Amino acid sequence: MWQQTLITLRARPRGFHLVTDELLAGLPELRECRVGLLHLWLQHTSASLTINENADPAVRRDFERFFNRLIPQGTDGYEHNDEGLDDLPAHFKASVLGCQISLPVSAGRLALGTWQGVYLGEHRDHGGARKVLDTLHGEGA
């Protein structure tokens, strides 16, 4: 089976956000997959996808603090600032973290660990809605 769906995630403020449930809500076909892979491709250059802690929201806040120290906003010497001071740092953060992840599917569910979830890293002050192209490939139930 092959299934491809474009999911639009609602706009979020700058920071790291758990989006696992929002993605799964747009993929009812996942329940029909016995074994397979779900590939998530974020169609943006100023946001990112990653897997991490799904229980304690402090982890997401600490992620934001860490990446803001690693890649500060408003640093002199950047040429690309057409869309504001957060523009180029957002591109840097997105490149460090990446815009795609592949997840195993088992018995109609994502085979995530107990404490794992999908994060959207929103690296712009006002990034807007984000689109994720989801491609499911696997063996049906």
Side-chain angles (χ1 to χ4, degrees):
M1 83 186 281
W2 283 93
Q3 172 71 37
Q4 195 167 71
T5 306
L6 184 63
I7 295 176
T8 302
L9 300 175
R10 64 180 171 80
R12 289 175 164 79
R14 184 170 163 166
F16 287 83
H17 307 278
L18 192 60
V19 295
T20 312
D21 290 342
E22 191 173 354
L23 291 167
L24 291 175
L27 290 167
E29 302 83 6
L30 188 73
R31 291 186 291 263
E32 304 302 319
C33 185
R34 188 178 69 74
V35 62
L37 285 173
L38 175 65
H39 183 259
L40 304 175
W41 178 265
L42 181 66
Q43 295 183 321
H44 301 275
T45 61
S46 57
S48 61
L49 292 174
T50 191
I51 303 291
N52 217 291
E53 164 77 43
N54 70 356
D56 185 357
V59 174
R60 295 187 298 276
R61 291 189 300 270
D62 287 339
F63 258 63
E64 178 67 5
R65 280 189 282 276
F66 171 80
F67 278 96
N68 286 337
R69 281 193 305 269
L70 182 67
I71 304 169
Q73 184 172 306
T75 302
D76 289 336
Y78 295 151
E79 183 177 343
H80 178 75
N81 61 8
D82 296 344
E83 297 177 37
L85 293 177
D86 67 337
D87 192 20
L88 189 60
H91 294 307
F92 288 156
K93 293 172 187 177
S95 286
V96 168
L97 287 162
C99 65
Q100 64 180 321
I101 52 178
S102 291
L103 302 165
V105 176
S106 181
R109 300 179 50 176
L110 293 180
L112 293 168
T114 302
W115 305 110
Q116 290 181 319
V118 180
Y119 285 13
L120 170 72
E122 177 53 70
H123 307 306
R124 298 295 310 270
D125 292 331
H126 306 285
R130 299 299 191 167
K131 294 180 188 290
V132 180
L133 184 63
D134 305 332
T135 303
L136 176 62
H137 177 192
E139 189 175 303

